[in-house]
Amino acid sequence: MTPESSPKKDADDGVTKQLCAWVNQLSLGDIPEDVQTRAKYLILDGFGCAIVGAHLPWTEKAAKAVFEMESPGNCVVWGYDKKLGPLPAALLNSTEVQAFELDDWHSLAPLHSNSILLPALLAATSHERANGARTFNGASLLLSTIVGYETGPRVGLCLHGSHMLTRGWHSGVVFGHAAAAAAVSKVLGLPPNAIEDALGIACTQACGLMSAQFGSDVKRMQHGFAARNGLFAALLAKGGYAGIKQVFEEPYGGFLATFGQGSGKEPPYLIDELVKELGQTWQLDSIRVKPHASMAGTHCTIDTVEALQKEYPSKLIDLANIKSIKIEMSEPAFKHGGWKARRPLTVTGAQMSCSYAAAVQLVDTQVSPREFHHDMIDRDSIWDLVDKTECVHSPGLGGRFEQKITITFMDGDTISQVVHVPKGVSPPLSNTEILEKFRRFTKGLIDDERREKIEKLVLDMENLEDISVLDELLAKLV
């Protein structure tokens, strides 16, 4: 369907209303058991990322500033044993999940769903409970999170997915406002007309500049804008506040028409993707969990270097013998991670740079949180290799993830390797591997008893009577 043939404002069967009706009517019984199980492991990974990120330096700076400007409230800030109002709590908790490039991402329409959904949903339920609402159980949290997992990527697919990154938008912040609004609307039990209001209020706030990746702290917080604003939208809609109607298909100033301008695509947006095979094809299946502590676009770089290390171990013993490194990549990966890293570099910038990730893999043979500790960022051994690295866009590569690395040595010898898809994408991390990641990265940050309780509650979420128990475990100091 082209923009010109999209439903008019007075149509009753437009995609916005279709989505709202689906959100309202969906029950856990409609969702396959394997999808529900996968969702629980994804949620566990999100909470693990929050535990890791709670007291990183940039998170603590954000928390200090927000605690100073906001009054105490009823919603916990994870890892701080403090409470704020729902909006700042959602913002800070999201900042924790996104704090160290360890969180989930959607491989077709990039966004970090857990950093948007979990903070918004737990803040919403805490706020409602404090105001005399019913107790919220784990089944409602699981169902509402799956609603968000489905909504955000569909919004992204309407805008050609990762092409938004190529254009310079922080895609997840653009796609994520609607996801938070839909998920919170579901947990609050809003009717379809109020869900439509929530989506309209959320979508008018959507934005996000990808230039945040080059060194700002705000890169860590931008998904928090979507969590906070989507929550705000749903709470306003619950109170009867009217939002933009048919916000996705409105031709003048509508979400897709406006964000689709200048896309260079024909058609500029794909309106049917919002509801295509809704409830049949589960976007959750394309949510990936990261094995490396860096931006997803660097993972194929890391895996290609690792493949070279396995095939040519003797050649890569003496890294000083390397003359040059050439990394060929697709356009989205090049625009996102192929920029020239320069010294000095912040941790944020290092985690977003393909040349830096390649150097770390060559020197340390892994890309874990340890390699991005502040005293590791400025090593001469890393920067000697970064300065020898050139990233280029290679239109001839066959796939969006595919990368080719060629290393030339001082004697003129060369070695080369191509990796089509990084691990974590194909194959995705298994549920067992996600659990192992949660345990490995949270070890030493929380005690074993607390970690085991969180595991048990999340992985048996459908039987949890009151999710405030989970919130309280997360609230304790890290």
Side-chain angles (χ1 to χ4, degrees):
M1 182 181 291
T2 64
E4 292 75 18
S5 64
S6 62
K8 300 302 181 184
K9 195 171 184 180
D10 59 352
D12 292 330
D13 59 348
V15 293
T16 304
K17 291 186 183 299
Q18 291 177 47
L19 177 64
C20 294
W22 180 81
V23 170
N24 174 257
Q25 295 166 12
L26 186 69
S27 69
L28 278 180
D30 299 322
I31 302 170
E33 187 175 344
D34 64 324
V35 173
Q36 295 186 43
T37 298
R38 184 64 172 179
K40 289 185 286 186
Y41 280 91
L42 292 173
I43 290 168
L44 183 66
D45 184 70
F47 289 140
C49 291
I51 291 167
V52 172
H55 285 280
L56 291 171
W58 39 90
T59 311
E60 290 188 338
K61 282 193 290 185
K64 182 177 185 296
V66 174
F67 286 142
E68 288 176 352
M69 73 175 75
E70 297 284 353
S71 300
N74 299 306
C75 303
V76 300
V77 177
W78 302 332
Y80 283 84
D81 205 19
K82 293 185 178 183
K83 293 184 177 182
L84 293 171
L87 303 185
L91 178 67
L92 285 181
N93 290 337
S94 173
T95 302
E96 294 179 17
V97 180
Q98 252 274 280
F100 216 57
E101 292 299 325
L102 283 169
D103 53 336
D104 65 286
W105 61 290
H106 193 278
S107 60
L108 301 176
L111 81 163
H112 307 288
S113 296
N114 281 328
S115 65
I116 298 166
L117 303 174
L118 302 181
L121 286 167
L122 285 171
T125 53
S126 294
H127 173 72
E128 290 294 294
R129 188 170 56 249
N131 285 283
R134 60 183 171 85
T135 297
F136 293 87
N137 60 30
S140 67
L141 177 61
L142 178 60
L143 176 60
S144 301
T145 305
I146 291 173
V147 163
Y149 284 158
E150 294 305 305
T151 302
R154 290 176 175 278
V155 173
L157 291 172
C158 289
L159 292 168
H160 298 280
S162 61
H163 184 62
M164 289 294 282
L165 282 174
T166 302
R167 295 172 59 198
W169 289 106
H170 193 173
S171 55
V173 191
V174 176
F175 310 158
H177 281 68
V184 175
S185 294
K186 182 62 177 178
V187 83
L188 297 180
L190 300 189
N193 63 320
I195 299 173
E196 184 174 13
D197 286 329
L199 290 172
I201 299 167
C203 285
T204 195
Q205 301 176 79
C207 63
L209 301 177
M210 205 58 250
S211 55
Q213 74 176 27
F214 296 120
S216 73
D217 288 333
V218 78
K219 163 66 175 65
R220 317 288 190 178
M221 185 180 278
Q222 288 186 162
H223 276 68
F225 300 158
R228 177 195 62 191
N229 296 345
L231 168 61
F232 179 56
L235 292 176
L236 278 177
K238 179 177 179 289
Y241 202 77
I244 300 168
K245 302 298 184 182
Q246 295 188 302
V247 68
F248 291 110
E249 60 264 48
E250 172 59 59
Y252 173 71
F255 181 87
L256 297 179
T258 302
F259 276 108
Q261 287 185 28
S263 71
K265 296 286 189 177
E266 184 54 44
Y269 57 90
L270 305 167
I271 193 168
D272 290 338
E273 292 291 337
L274 190 68
V275 293
K276 182 180 178 182
E277 298 178 349
L278 192 58
Q280 301 172 41
T281 296
W282 296 92
Q283 292 301 320
L284 176 150
D285 289 337
S286 294
I287 294 176
R288 303 297 183 235
V289 173
K290 294 180 181 178
H292 307 301
S294 57
M295 180 265 289
T298 68
H299 286 207
C300 206
T301 305
I302 296 164
D303 287 359
T304 308
V305 172
E306 185 179 28
L308 285 167
Q309 289 171 316
K310 290 178 178 178
E311 188 169 350
Y312 305 99
S314 60
K315 297 285 289 184
L316 293 171
I317 291 175
D318 182 10
L319 299 180
N321 192 38
I322 293 176
K323 181 178 180 180
S324 66
I325 303 169
K326 182 179 181 181
I327 306 176
E328 299 177 62
M329 54 185 65
S330 66
E331 185 179 25
F334 175 71
K335 290 287 185 70
H336 199 13
W339 51 280
K340 184 65 176 177
R342 300 190 184 281
R343 197 176 192 178
L345 193 64
T346 64
V347 175
T348 302
Q351 289 179 300
M352 307 298 291
S353 166
C354 288
S355 60
Y356 192 91
V360 169
Q361 178 63 34
L362 282 165
V363 172
D364 300 314
T365 68
Q366 65 176 8
V367 183
S368 72
R370 175 186 174 276
E371 281 68 55
F372 295 100
H373 193 270
H374 63 85
D375 61 1
M376 302 285 277
I377 291 294
D378 203 39
R379 289 177 288 168
D380 290 338
S381 59
I382 297 290
W383 283 99
D384 179 61
L385 293 170
V386 172
D387 291 341
K388 294 177 178 178
T389 300
E390 177 190 19
C391 296
V392 297
H393 169 216
S394 180
L397 291 177
R400 184 161 63 90
F401 297 106
E402 186 175 23
Q403 292 189 22
K404 177 181 180 181
I405 294 182
T406 301
I407 297 178
T408 302
F409 297 92
M410 295 298 184
D411 61 5
D413 283 353
T414 65
I415 58 175
S416 185
Q417 185 64 258
V418 175
V419 169
H420 301 287
V421 183
K423 59 188 177 187
V425 174
S426 181
L429 265 62
S430 67
N431 292 341
T432 299
E433 289 172 321
I434 293 173
L435 180 58
E436 290 171 351
K437 176 189 170 185
F438 173 79
R439 292 172 176 173
R440 183 170 71 255
F441 286 138
T442 58
K443 187 174 180 60
L445 298 179
I446 58 176
D447 61 69
D448 291 348
E449 181 181 1
R450 182 176 166 197
R451 189 200 70 235
E452 289 169 4
K453 285 181 179 178
I454 293 171
E455 279 182 28
K456 184 177 185 302
L457 290 176
V458 172
L459 298 182
D460 192 36
M461 184 178 292
E462 67 274 25
N463 295 312
L464 178 61
E465 294 182 0
D466 184 354
I467 61 174
S468 64
V469 177
L470 179 58
D471 218 10
E472 289 165 6
L473 281 170
L474 294 165
K476 294 179 182 179
L477 291 174
V478 172

